[in-house]
Every structure is written in C-alpha cells, then in structure tokens.
Amino acid sequence: MRLKKFRRLGRRDDVSADELAQMQHQLDEMALREITNLVERMPSVDGAKVLRMLPPDRSLAVFDVLDPAHQAELVSALGDERVVAYFDSMGAEDRVALLDNLPAQIAERLLQDLDEDDQRVTNVVLGYGKGTVGRTMSPAVPDVTPDMTVREVVEMLRADVEELETIYTVPVIDEDRTLVGMVSLRRLFRARGDETIGEVMYEPESVHAMDEDEGAARWLMSTDLLAVPVVDEDERLVGIFTYDEAQDVVEQADTEDSARVGASEPLGKPYLSTPVTQLVRSRVVWLLVLAISATLTVKVLDVFEETLEQAVVLAAFIPLLTGTGGNTGNQAATTVTRALALDDVRKRDVFHVMWRELRVGMMLGAVLGLLGVVIAGLVYDTNIGLTIGATLFMICSVSATVGGMMPIVAKAIGADPAVFSNPFISTFCDATGLIIYFLIARAILQI
Amino acid sequence: MRLKKFRRLGRRDDVSADELAQMQHQLDEMALREITNLVERMPSVDGAKVLRMLPPDRSLAVFDVLDPAHQAELVSALGDERVVAYFDSMGAEDRVALLDNLPAQIAERLLQDLDEDDQRVTNVVLGYGKGTVGRTMSPAVPDVTPDMTVREVVEMLRADVEELETIYTVPVIDEDRTLVGMVSLRRLFRARGDETIGEVMYEPESVHAMDEDEGAARWLMSTDLLAVPVVDEDERLVGIFTYDEAQDVVEQADTEDSARVGASEPLGKPYLSTPVTQLVRSRVVWLLVLAISATLTVKVLDVFEETLEQAVVLAAFIPLLTGTGGNTGNQAATTVTRALALDDVRKRDVFHVMWRELRVGMMLGAVLGLLGVVIAGLVYDTNIGLTIGATLFMICSVSATVGGMMPIVAKAIGADPAVFSNPFISTFCDATGLIIYFLIARAILQI
C-alpha cells in the first residue's frame, strides 16, 4: 500500500518537498531496488530529495546503479558533501563515466578533492579517449607472476578482495608487467596449493586499451569469460574489463541504436525522468533535417505536375508506393544494421550484401507487383494496374538494395549505421520512388 | 594469408567440398574463434562440412557457441554419430534450446539416446514453457545446507566443478530444498574454513521458474550478481540462472525487437548464413500486411479526388506531410518501445506517456508548422503556407501522441510492442495525416 502511494508520486511531474518528507519513514522500509526504481521515474530534482532523505550507505548504493548522465543531473541538485562522499567511494571507471557527464569546473573540483591514490588510478582511466576500452576498464588488478604458488595468490586475492573489481579472472604478468597468462578462480580452486601459477595458467585472451569499447564488449559477452585483461600497445597489463562493464556498454549502445533508428538522439537516462523539453531537443533537429530533405519530394512532384494534372488518379497511389518503398528499405537496413552491431557482417561484405538484397528485393517486388497488377487492374484499368505493378517491382528492388548497403557505407565513412537505417532510407525511397513512378506512368499511359 | 582465402570462401554461396577438403590442414592451425566466425558466415551445408573436418573436441567447442536455430540446421546436414556426441556433452539448457529448434521426430530420437541421468535433468527444463526462466536455467546446482562448514562446501564445489554451471554463486537450501540463502565464492573465500554456511550466507535473491525469461534476464543484468537461484512455486530450488544465459536471452530479445521495428520477422541466426529465400520469407508477410493497410490511403485520396483536381498543387506536399507524420510517430514509438524493454516504462504509465508525448508533439509541431507557413507561404502563396503550417502542427501532435501510446497498448493486449513501433505507426500516420491535410485545405482554400 505504501509503495503504491509512492509510485503514484513518481508518476507526477511535481512532488513537493513536504509530501516527500512525510514519507521518510516509508523509505526506510523500502528495498533498495524499489527506491532505485522510484528515483529512475522521477525528475532529477525530486530524485535528489529522495537521495538526501536516505542514510549515506543506502543513498550511495542507489546512486551507484544509475546511468552516468542521470547521476550528473543529480549532482547539481545535491548538496556538496553528499557528492564528495559518493565520488570518493566509486570505482575509478564509474567515477570517470560520471566526470564525462559533468560540467568541466565541477569535474575539476571533485577530482582535486580526491586523495592521491584515487587521483592516480582515475587519471589512468582519464588518459584514454571516450569510447575506448581504457576509459571503461577497471584499473585495479593484482600483481600476479608465474613463479608465485597457488596458495600465495589465493592469500593475496583474499587480502585485496575489497579493492579488486573481480577475483574470478586473474591476469598473470612478468617483471615488465607484460601479460603472459591468465587464470580463473575456478582453475585456482581445483589446483593444489603448492603448484605454481606458471603451471596452471593458460594462454591469455586480451583486449587493447585503445580498442573501441562496444566491439570489445560484444566480443567478451559472446565468450564465456567473466572478464578479460586489458593491455597497452606494449602488451603491458593496464587493467581488467569485466562482463559487468561490458554489459553496460552494450546496453547503452543498443539503446542509442534504437533511438537513432527512430530518428532521435539518445536520452542517456530513463524516459520518465527526462523533462519534456529535453525530449523535444532530442528529436527536433532530426525532424527538421528529414523535413528539409523531404522538400526534395515536393520538387519531384512539381516537375511532374503536368503528368499529375492529366491523370489525378495517379496521386491516389503516392502514399502506398512511397510507403512500400520505405518499408522494404527499412527491412533491409534494420537487418543489416543489427548484423553490423553483432559483427555478423563487416565492411568488406558490402558487395555480398548488395547482391543478396538485390535478389531479395526483386523477389519481394515480384510478389507485390503481381498483386498490384491484379488489384489495381481490376479496380481501375489495365494500364493503371500495369503502372502500379511495374512501379512496385522497381521500387522494391531499388529500396532493398540501397537499404542493405547504406548502413555499411555509413560505417565505412565513420557515421553511425543506425542513423541510416530508417529515417534517411525512408526519405531516399520517397524521392526515388516518385521518380520511378512517374517515369513508368508516362511510358505506359503515354502522357 | 590463409585466413584471407578462407574468408573469401565464406563470402560465396557455393563452396565445393573439394575446396574445403584442401583446407583441412589450415583449419588445424586456426583459432576456434576464427573457425566459429567462418561457420557463422557460411550456408549451413558448408558449415557442416567444416565441422566434420575438425577433431571432435574442437568441432564441439564451435558448435556449442552457435545460435540454437543455426545449430538445428547444421544437425540435419551432419552425420548422426557426430550429432549424438554433441548432444551428450551439452548442458541441459543448451540441449533444450536446440531441441526447440529441431523437427519433433529428430528431437525425440536424440532424447531417447541420452543416458538416464541426462534425460532426467533435460526433462526438468523441458517441463517449463518456452520463454520462461525454467526453460533457460541450468538445473545443475550443488546441495548446500546452512549447517555445512565453509571448508566442506569448498571441497564439495571442488569435487563437482565439472558438472556445475557456476561455482561463483551458491544457493543454500534447507532439508525440503526450500531456498534459504545464497553465498558468493568471493564471500566463501574471505570466510574461515570452520564457519558455517548459515553464518556467512545472505538473504537470497531469486526468480521463479515460471517467470518470463526476458524480464528476469534484464533484471539480473542490471544487478551485479553473476547468477540468481531459480525456485518453483513452493520456493524450492530447481536451478540457477546465470549471467551468461541472461545475456543470450537479452541479445536475442534485442535482435528480435530490432527486426520487428524494421517490419520483418527475426531470422534466429547470422545474416550471412541465412539463405536469400528465407530472408524473403521473413519480410514478405509484413510487407503485404502493410501494403494492404496502405490501400486505406488510396481510399482516403479517392474521397478527396475533387479537392485534388481543383488544386493539384496540394499533391506535391503529400509525401512531405505523411513522411513527417511517420517520422514524429516513429520517434515517439521507438523511444517508448525501448523504455518498455528496459522496464523504464510500464503499462500503468500509459496516460502519463500520452500527456508527455502530446506536449512534445505540440512543441515539435509548432516549430515545423511555423517553418512551413513561412517557406510554403513564400514559395507558393499565403493560403498554401497556412494550410501546410496548420497541417504540420496537427500531424505532429497526433502522431507523437499515438506513437507513444501504441507500444504500451500493444503490450497490454499481449502483442509485441516492437511491431507497433515503426511499420504500423507509419501507415496509421499516413492515413490520418491525409485526412487532416485535406480537411484543413478545404477549410482554408474554401474548396
């Protein structure tokens, strides 16, 4: 019952501080998971109030699992001491993710307040560019060498367990810090205490700190490894990249892809805690760009105005034909975009994809075209039927081919393939579809 | 260099057995990851040839990481003994995923060939419906009770490590098999050997075997747990649901969402290993459904034919206006669909979402409408400008509202929200957009 009342509060955009204060004792009884849920569904200013009402350890636990962009907004709404406390207790990689979302002067002040050790590890992570593995990894790794015994390493892990991001995957290095092996806790567990690490370790898998984080994350998640050592260009160990971090990267990438496929900018935080004006900002630019590209279709129709005047009936099919072109193009584009994201398709496959999609488009076009000939032929007349049928066949063939290639071309020129999946394909298919339509109509109807 | 040649083979649709046979010695030198990649990019019949050329343990390792639907196709292309060997060595949950994709008689024969013990655990998993946690979990869990000492449990885990899906998360049960706690290996690691499990275990998190797998998987991945115990309706332990299994569920769900947003059926296996005819099948039904819905727009335009004849210039704006409506609707729909998938928005939020999207739509409509008035007013005349501007405002408001609500409504009636994100919204926006357009045009132009 109490939860219900709270949930109702979360749904409104205005919760007064008084109302929240009355609920203090209810917060004490709620599970952390429920409180997190509540904060994720509130505007930041109210989320900050809830956090301030919690005891420090609970508020930290809630703050810790929020998206970095959401954390950043809460920071400006929270008191100073509270923020400094959060910041001190975060792992270096989470700290950097938050810093990336804060205004420069706040970020700098927070960094200066850290103790020397924390500053050092944070700077290691900050030294790598955004979107790299180095920026997302955890720099806290134990120093394990092949000559140590299993017993020594187990003791060492036991002593350092609080500092380490994971104890389940242990990288092994030589005296230069070059990565020479790795060993799972599972393996250590089965080994005798007096065996050396050199005897039980196996060939290390690794990723480079400069690698793109999304690719490395998807690769890690496709293996059954829980973490992978991170090395620099000299193969020296600099950190560890865990399943957990990889999962955050992949979820964020998929959310961004989904937003871009839908022609808006990613929000970076939960929908309900995003102000309406920010939703507008995330969409208006794309909408304008697309509307302006669409003036091309106005131009095309202007050119064919005479044809239209002679056969107004042609206008009736415009949305059906351009819509079908858009749908065919989008089918191909979303399939290929996802395949690119999962690394099932790569840049060098562009011609292979083109040839596949051309055949798919022609088969789809044949089915729809035949139907178009029959139906439009019966309802209107034979020539209209032929025009619609031939146009559908051509539009499907062109749209599928272009739709399948666009995401790969986008990736090749360094753009986000998702942007080219839906919005631009639709606009492109509209314009080319109209040209195909009127050229075919002119030829068949002889106007 | 050798790899390169192989990759080229993978890109063609016809690799002769002879060509493959010549590469036997190259396969021996390739890393498993490379071979998997190769198989994922080939038609199944060639994939099967590659698998047959590998020694049993390596071919098993490759087979194990493929998608179940892809595995199923390979099964019919592979020799019988090879398949039985794969099947024997799989975990119960992977075995069931493969069975789900096989024709009934093959599935039954494979099941009968299993030894009694394997049959029993497989049947536990098969007892739960598709799409539930029970169907995806691993039934192999150790029997750990609170009275055991840490030392005893560690010894037990060490002895059983080969059979267990994970040793990193250990569920604790009482004599009725009721779940009473859980403990991580990390915690056991820090404990003294003579402490009892009752002293070191913590409150268990758990999911129910009948829970929907996608929701449970997303929840597990949002925590920092590596696995969660699975219980039946009496809170008795029946298995464990690991991060790894959760990740497969989430990746597949996201791939399905992405396909449906693009108006096609999910393929269930990598793009390049899917035959062209299967790509056509995955798209043709949606395309037909959408084309048939789009005949509604033909009907609408038929009704307004007279208006069009009096002002053919109106036709020129049709694709721009319907396109903008589709884009606005899709922006809202994809944002809400993703929020639903991530559980940021729930069914009961429908009116909250509607109100938010109405405001977003009106603001977007105001921006675009104003631009429309000015530009169309200058290029054509004031009345045309006013018509376009007013239509854009109305279309944006309606499309954003409907686009935001549709995925929630779809979920409420048990349909896949992703289906309603893009394809249907576009068609809906086309038809309503046209009606709005011509009604406004008639009023302003007085025709």
Side-chain angles (χ1 to χ4, degrees), chain A residues 58-238:
Chain A
R58 277 164 68 86
S59 100
L60 174 64
V62 170
F63 187 79
D64 215 38
V65 295
L66 299 174
D67 298 318
H70 196 184
Q71 287 178 336
E73 285 202 0
L74 288 167
V75 161
S76 43
L78 279 164
D80 234 20
E81 336 79 83
R82 185 70 66 138
V83 173
V84 171
Y86 289 156
F87 202 66
D88 271 348
S89 60
M90 291 170 106
E93 67 286 1
D94 293 335
R95 204 180 280 144
V96 168
L98 173 54
L99 286 177
D100 280 342
N101 282 281
L102 285 175
Q105 72 264 46
I106 301 186
E108 221 160 280
R109 212 189 50 227
L110 281 172
L111 256 181
Q112 281 167 359
D113 286 349
L114 284 178
D115 69 41
E116 223 167 284
D117 232 36
D118 278 342
Q119 264 189 34
R120 195 182 46 76
V121 288
T122 306
N123 281 327
V124 170
V125 177
L126 273 174
Y128 294 101
K130 281 191 199 187
T132 64
V133 170
R135 193 72 167 228
T136 321
M137 70 180 186
S138 167
V141 279
D143 289 347
V144 172
T145 49
D147 54 311
M148 292 169 79
T149 64
V150 168
R151 187 173 301 113
E152 281 171 339
V153 171
V154 167
E155 277 318 309
M156 178 178 166
L157 294 177
R158 191 172 283 173
D160 294 343
V161 68
E162 299 299 346
E163 268 74 56
L164 297 172
E165 176 74 20
T166 180
I167 56 164
Y168 295 140
T169 305
V170 181
V172 184
I173 52 178
D174 65 13
E175 61 282 2
D176 297 333
R177 299 197 64 79
T178 305
L179 182 72
V180 292
M182 62 191 270
V183 61
S184 66
L185 188 59
R186 194 169 174 140
R187 182 74 190 82
L188 290 178
F189 207 63
R190 284 157 53 206
R192 289 191 327 274
D194 58 353
E195 283 182 280
T196 65
I197 293 300
E199 289 172 284
V200 299
M201 72 184 191
Y202 26 79
E203 275 291 299
E205 299 269 8
S206 66
V207 291
H208 278 88
M210 307 294 290
D211 285 351
E212 186 239 350
D213 59 0
E214 186 185 339
R218 291 211 197 261
W219 169 74
L220 178 59
M221 296 184 81
S222 75
T223 69
D224 46 16
L225 298 172
L226 288 173
V228 61
V230 183
V231 295
D232 63 14
E233 53 273 40
D234 302 322
E235 302 295 317
R236 270 175 247 252
L237 181 71
V238 291

Side-chain angles (χ1 to χ4, degrees), chain B residues 130-145:
Chain B
K130 282 191 198 187
T132 65
V133 170
R135 193 70 166 231
T136 321
M137 70 180 185
S138 166
V141 278
D143 290 348
V144 173
T145 50

Side-chain angles (χ1 to χ4, degrees), chain B residues 48 51-52 56 59-60 63-64 68 70-90 94-95 98-99 102-103 105-111 113-114:
Chain B
L51 286 179
R52 235 175 291 139
S59 102
L60 174 64
F63 188 80
D64 216 39
H70 196 184
Q71 287 179 337
E73 286 202 1
L74 287 168
V75 161
S76 42
L78 278 165
D80 234 19
E81 335 81 84
R82 186 68 68 136
V83 173
V84 171
Y86 288 157
F87 203 65
D88 271 348
S89 60
M90 290 172 107
D94 293 335
R95 204 181 279 143
L98 172 54
L99 286 177
L102 285 175
Q105 73 264 45
I106 301 186
E108 222 160 279
R109 212 188 52 224
L110 282 174
L111 256 182
D113 286 349
L114 283 178

